[in-house]
């Protein structure tokens, strides 16, 4: 009275919809050399705060620990279409990337002015700006304090809207056992294959995939 069968299906998820999903990001440079990232998305277990902090840090050129994320509160964050895992990474991630690069440019310009050195002679080194070929440098902490004390705080705001849609694809393969007397179905094995482009944070991407599989099984069999 027990029979086994296999099946498969493919799916595509809309992400970064053309001219629809818009995101903005604001970054403040603090007096202690750290940064505040204001973003309108909500991290409801997807890990978006973590990944957006990673993108912000890499765009500026500082450790991730230097970024504090303030998200969700629309009273003080920039506009965002909404919080959806692929859209958040694509739309919000690109907005954060643009803002981070702009912040790096502003920091280098301020360091050039402070040190009275041409920009092309400076190098950004994680927590400091150094003068190539010499021992002269200024730390981000020192630069941040100087800018605040001179009433010249640094902040940037950038936005992003996609002109191309990069939809992720998924293929699912299931082996199930069915009790024909009771109608009970057991999922014996499930394999999911995902084509999601560049993975920013592999552990978070993996648990998102596993969570999606479990939600799909739950919807098919129980809900």
């Amino acid at each position: 009275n027990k029979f086994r069968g296999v099946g498969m299906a493919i799916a595509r998820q809309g992400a970064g919809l053309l001219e629809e999903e818009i995101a903005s990001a604001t970054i403040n440079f603090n007096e202690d050399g750290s940064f505040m990232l204001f973003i309108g998305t909500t991290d409801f277990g997807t890990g978006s705060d973590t990944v957006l902090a990673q993108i912000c840090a890499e765009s500026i050129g500082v450790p991730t620990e230097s970024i504090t994320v303030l998200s969700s509160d629309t009273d003080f964050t920039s506009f965002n279409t909404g919080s959806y895992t692929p859209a958040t990474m694509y739309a919000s991630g690109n907005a954060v990337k643009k803002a981070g690069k702009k912040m790096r440019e502003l920091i280098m310009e301020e360091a050039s002015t402070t040190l009275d050195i041409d920009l092309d002679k400076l190098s950004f080194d994680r927590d400091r700006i150094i003068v190539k070929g010499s021992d002269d440098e200024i730390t981000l902490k020192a630069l941040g304090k100087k800018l605040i004390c001179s009433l010249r705080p640094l902040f940037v705001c950038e936005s992003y809207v996609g002109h191309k849609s990069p939809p992720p694809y998924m293929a699912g393969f299931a082996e199930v056992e069915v009790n024909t007397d009771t109608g009970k179905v057991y999922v014996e094995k499930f394999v999911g294959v995902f084509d999601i482009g560049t993975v920013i944070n592999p552990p978070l991407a993996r648990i998102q995939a596993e969570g999606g599989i479990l939600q799909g099984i739950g919807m098919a069999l129980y809900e």
Side-chain angles (χ1 to χ4, degrees):
N1 63 346
K2 292 182 178 179
F3 297 86
R4 287 199 177 191
V6 295
M8 67 87 63
I10 56 175
R12 184 182 73 177
Q13 167 69 29
L17 301 180
L18 305 182
E19 315 295 341
E20 269 190 47
E21 293 181 353
I22 304 167
S24 300
T26 301
I27 303 174
N28 286 4
F29 181 40
N30 300 325
E31 67 274 12
D32 63 354
S34 65
F35 301 86
M36 302 287 287
L37 170 62
F38 297 85
I39 194 76
T41 60
T42 299
D43 189 334
F44 47 84
T46 60
S48 61
D49 281 1
T50 299
V51 180
L52 293 174
Q54 288 180 261
I55 295 172
C56 182
E58 183 173 321
S59 299
I60 299 173
V62 297
T64 306
E65 296 75 29
S66 298
I67 311 297
T68 298
V69 180
L70 297 176
S71 60
S72 306
D73 191 335
T74 53
D75 281 342
F76 64 82
T77 60
S78 307
F79 177 80
N80 195 289
T81 306
S83 300
Y84 325 97
T85 308
T88 297
M89 289 303 96
Y90 188 67
S92 299
N94 272 297
V96 171
K97 181 180 178 180
K98 287 175 63 178
K101 287 185 174 182
K102 182 62 176 179
M103 175 58 73
R104 181 186 175 103
E105 292 175 4
L106 292 180
I107 288 175
M108 293 296 286
E109 291 172 3
E110 291 293 345
S112 174
T113 301
T114 300
L115 295 171
D116 195 23
I117 295 290
D118 292 339
L119 264 175
D120 59 2
K121 295 180 180 178
L122 297 179
S123 177
F124 199 113
D125 185 23
R126 288 174 66 84
D127 63 347
R128 65 194 66 239
I129 310 297
I130 60 177
V131 180
K132 299 175 184 177
S134 77
D135 295 329
D136 293 339
E137 65 177 34
I138 184 170
T139 64
L140 291 184
K141 183 175 182 179
L143 181 61
K145 184 176 181 180
K146 181 178 180 62
L147 291 173
I148 291 295
C149 290
S150 59
L151 302 180
R152 297 202 327 272
L154 290 188
F155 67 93
V156 297
C157 184
E158 291 286 347
S159 298
Y160 181 86
V161 57
H163 301 293
K164 293 183 179 180
S165 182
Y169 293 85
M170 181 265 190
F173 304 82
E175 179 180 350
V176 300
E177 182 178 277
V178 181
N179 186 319
T180 55
D181 289 341
T182 65
K184 181 68 175 178
V185 177
Y186 297 90
V187 179
E188 298 292 339
K189 185 183 295 185
F190 193 101
V191 175
V193 183
F194 300 84
D195 178 8
I196 58 173
T198 301
V199 179
I200 305 296
N201 189 309
L204 288 178
R206 176 177 290 276
I207 62 174
Q208 282 292 298
E210 293 173 352
I213 289 171
L214 292 174
Q215 287 182 328
I217 292 172
M219 183 179 294
L221 296 183
Y222 302 111
E223 300 171 18

